[in-house]
Amino acid sequence: MASPFERSAIDAYPTKPAWDAVATEILGSMLDRWHLSEAHVFPATAAAVVAAVRRQDGSPAVLKIGFPHEEAIWEAVLLDGLPADLAPSVLDQDAWSWAMLLERLDPGTTLADAGIPDIEAVGIGAELHRRLLAAPPPSGVPALAEQYRPFVDRLAEDAAGALLRDAGVAEGAGNEAIDEFDRLCRTAPAQALLHGDLNPGNILRHGDGWRIIDPKPALGDPAFDTFSLVRDLMTDTGSPTKLAELTEAAVSAAGVDLERAIRWIRVRGILSAFWNLEDGLADDGRRDVELAWSAEDLLGLPSPR
């Protein structure tokens, strides 16, 4: 049975560069410990080192070494508790090194790269969203308001305001996003199990079906996860019409509230814009700002540009 990842590792590796310096060493030690061979390391991701491997009996698997961070502490527990047709099985785990040995998904094509029309793709993702919402949450998974509190409160800082203003966001938008986040959490119709980052890159084909990977589990408003799915399928984030089309398709399949989903898209667009701008990803930050503006248009809110 999987357990939460060890929180003390977050203190041991407080920055991504500190973890990067030892990640390859951790990977090597887990290859030896679990008697894995034929390791093929996938291109680097922001929060993990991942390799296709073979187990001692010759069966295929995936080794994931995660960068320790608060949102992913319950990742292995959630994957281990979900039905086999919703997520890859956890074959082994080391909570201290944030290592997991996972079932290998075949062919493993992401929903983002599958060449599927956006309306069909959003329906696939939203059906997985619906099934996840219906799953019983593991004991101990934190509430969304608790999980996101440190990140949301940073929107009130002067540095966040300056970055957002440079991207064309009106003065005070950060504080408005904080207020809306609190209101949406407070009025949530249910405390449902959330993926936390249900984007099309975290949905992989396996046989004739699809599986979710890389959850950042929390309990909260069922409409919260619509943002990641819709945003990454939007080729034109500045189009309220396209946002309405995809969001309506997503909430219909997932069974969540349309207005709440759009309000979450507005809030999370501002949050995501700040994170991307802080990381120097100006183009991604501007796309998030445009998405927040499109959501405001759908809500009939004034949005000074």
Side-chain angles (χ1 to χ4, degrees):
M1 179 178 293
S3 60
F5 284 120
E6 179 56 45
R7 184 174 268 104
S8 63
I10 299 174
D11 298 326
Y13 307 110
T15 66
K16 183 64 162 46
W19 178 79
D20 286 340
V22 300
T24 301
E25 180 181 343
I26 297 173
L27 176 70
S29 69
M30 298 313 300
L31 289 171
D32 290 341
R33 176 176 165 183
W34 286 337
H35 307 290
L36 305 173
S37 62
E38 299 182 29
H40 170 73
V41 179
F42 294 117
T45 69
V49 174
V50 182
V53 297
R54 288 204 175 270
R55 306 174 78 188
Q56 199 168 19
D57 64 4
S59 61
V62 167
L63 175 60
K64 178 179 179 181
I65 312 296
F67 167 54
H69 58 293
E70 192 72 30
E71 311 95 281
I73 286 175
W74 292 88
E75 177 182 359
V77 175
L78 178 59
L79 293 176
D80 194 43
L82 290 176
D85 61 351
L86 189 53
S89 301
V90 178
L91 307 174
D92 213 334
Q93 181 204 17
D94 182 81
W96 292 88
S97 63
W98 284 57
M100 286 189 297
L101 191 64
L102 299 168
E103 173 190 11
R104 192 190 301 181
L105 302 181
D106 183 27
T109 310
T110 70
L111 183 60
D113 294 331
I116 295 173
D118 52 18
I119 286 292
E120 182 181 345
V122 85
I124 290 169
E127 171 60 18
L128 294 170
H129 182 193
R130 183 192 66 77
R131 293 178 57 208
L132 184 62
L133 292 173
S139 177
V141 173
L144 178 65
E146 172 191 349
Q147 179 94 296
Y148 266 68
R149 187 82 264 155
F151 310 112
V152 172
D153 285 348
R154 292 188 63 207
L155 288 176
E157 297 174 359
D158 291 342
L163 283 172
L164 291 171
R165 284 194 300 275
D166 288 346
V169 178
E171 183 81 31
N175 286 324
E176 288 180 11
I178 294 172
D179 291 342
E180 182 79 309
F181 175 87
D182 290 337
R183 188 188 70 79
L184 288 168
C185 287
R186 187 174 61 252
T187 61
Q191 293 298 300
L193 182 59
L194 307 176
H195 181 284
D197 190 17
L198 192 63
N199 70 72
N202 284 338
I203 298 172
L204 272 57
R205 188 187 291 277
H206 184 57
D208 294 331
W210 297 87
R211 306 289 187 272
I212 59 172
I213 62 168
D214 295 347
K216 298 172 176 59
L219 300 179
D221 190 338
F224 177 84
D225 273 336
T226 309
F227 165 79
S228 299
L229 178 62
V230 168
R231 177 195 59 184
D232 286 11
L233 291 171
M234 289 276 292
T235 54
D236 180 7
T237 51
S239 170
T241 301
K242 190 63 178 180
L243 177 60
E245 178 185 20
L246 291 181
T247 305
E248 287 169 7
V251 302
S252 175
V256 302
D257 183 83
L258 175 60
E259 181 179 340
R260 295 186 70 88
I262 296 171
R263 289 187 178 279
W264 275 119
I265 289 169
R266 179 192 179 215
V267 171
R268 296 192 66 186
I270 295 297
L271 258 177
S272 184
F274 167 51
W275 292 336
N276 279 317
L277 293 167
E278 189 176 44
D279 289 341
L281 303 173
D283 289 343
D284 289 339
R286 281 191 289 270
R287 290 187 75 250
D288 287 327
V289 169
E290 289 180 347
L291 191 64
W293 284 342
S294 293
E296 289 177 347
D297 285 345
L298 294 180
L299 293 166
L301 299 174
S303 177
R305 303 294 202 259

